[in-house]
């Protein structure tokens, strides 16, 4: 089964480099303008559309042409706990040694009061298993969920930067077969006006 994943458009918190997590921030005017008139290539737009229940993902799906996307809580952004609303720079400056330890944990890194990328992977696997079938899926979600998918589909442990250059404004295409996710095509550009 083909799985096309897209990250939501920009929000005010993205622009300010704040960790959003599950905080329900809408798209910014700039984010809406970025998406205006854009579409997935036709061959990738066909299929069942799902989104995170967070408003920024739902707005993005509609702006990209999804008629009736279905929200699913398993596609919600990673819970960043106490880090939500703060910048990575501020968190790192507060306790550089603690941040280095967190980042060295990779898939098992847990922000205070939050969840790990490995737990996000479990949610994603449960979603894909529940929707396995002949029809392709188009998912509009979040960077944390997409990073978890990339790690799931490869040997990336998240202890270092990804081995690929990812364009978070593009579509990432995966294949789901027999309970395994593999990378299909990365950085598929949206069609613009």
């Amino acid at each position: 089964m083909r799985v096309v994943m897209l990250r939501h458009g920009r929000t005010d918190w993205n622009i300010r480099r704040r960790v959003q997590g599950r905080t329900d921030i809408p798209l910014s005017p700039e984010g809406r303008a970025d998406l205006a008139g854009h579409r997935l290539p036709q061959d990738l737009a066909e299929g069942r559309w799902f989104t995170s229940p967070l408003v920024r993902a739902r707005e993005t799906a509609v702006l990209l042409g999804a008629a009736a996307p279905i929200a699913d809580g398993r596609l919600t952004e990673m819970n960043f706990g106490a880090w939500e609303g703060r910048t990575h720079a501020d968190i790192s400056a507060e306790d550089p040694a603690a941040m280095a330890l967190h980042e060295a944990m990779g898939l098992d890194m847990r922000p205070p009061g939050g969840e790990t990328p490995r737990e996000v992977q479990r949610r994603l696997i449960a979603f894909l298993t529940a929707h396995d079938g002949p029809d392709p899926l188009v998912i509009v979600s979040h960077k944390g969920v997409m990073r978890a998918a990339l790690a799931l589909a490869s040997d990336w442990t998240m202890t270092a930067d990804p081995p690929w250059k990812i364009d978070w404004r593009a579509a990432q295409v995966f294949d789901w077969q027999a309970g395994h996710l593999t990378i299909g095509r990365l950085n598929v550009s949206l069609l613009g006006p």
Side-chain angles (χ1 to χ4, degrees):
M1 175 176 68
R2 185 182 66 218
V3 179
V4 178
M5 295 186 77
L6 295 136
R7 183 185 184 205
H8 62 79
R10 289 189 300 163
T11 70
D12 286 334
W13 279 23
N14 289 132
I15 294 166
R16 295 182 190 146
R17 305 188 63 81
R18 293 187 182 283
V19 176
Q20 290 177 112
R22 295 188 173 182
T23 305
D24 204 4
I25 307 295
L27 293 179
S28 66
E30 297 88 350
R32 286 184 197 93
D34 291 345
L35 293 167
H38 284 83
R39 298 282 181 268
L40 275 171
Q42 184 61 38
D43 65 315
L44 297 183
E46 298 168 359
R48 297 173 288 163
W49 281 69
F50 291 88
T51 72
S52 156
L54 298 177
V55 67
R56 59 191 182 265
R58 292 191 330 264
E59 286 181 306
T60 298
V62 170
L63 286 168
L64 290 175
I70 300 165
D72 191 302
R74 293 171 288 193
L75 302 175
T76 303
E77 176 62 295
M78 183 172 147
N79 182 348
F80 284 95
W83 292 352
E84 290 190 20
R86 304 182 66 205
T87 67
H88 187 272
D90 289 343
I91 298 164
S92 296
E94 190 172 277
D95 191 343
M99 181 53 82
L101 285 173
H102 275 291
E103 290 175 343
M105 296 177 77
L107 287 166
D108 296 308
M109 182 274 300
R110 182 185 304 279
E115 71 181 321
T116 69
R118 194 177 307 276
E119 290 167 333
V120 175
Q121 287 179 331
R122 287 188 201 118
R123 287 195 276 119
L124 182 59
I125 290 169
F127 171 84
L128 293 171
T129 300
H131 294 287
D132 198 355
D135 295 330
L137 303 180
V138 179
I139 297 170
V140 180
S141 190
H142 307 273
K143 188 175 181 179
V145 177
M146 292 175 68
R147 286 171 52 91
L150 287 163
L152 190 62
S154 69
D155 292 328
W156 182 41
T157 62
M158 292 189 171
T159 56
D161 288 337
W164 329 268
K165 177 71 175 153
I166 299 298
D167 179 354
W168 297 109
R169 296 165 300 165
Q172 314 306 324
V173 182
F174 299 90
D175 295 307
W176 172 257
Q177 185 174 8
H180 297 285
L181 194 67
T182 56
I183 295 172
R185 292 184 285 163
L186 298 178
N187 303 323
V188 179
S189 296
L190 299 179
L191 302 177

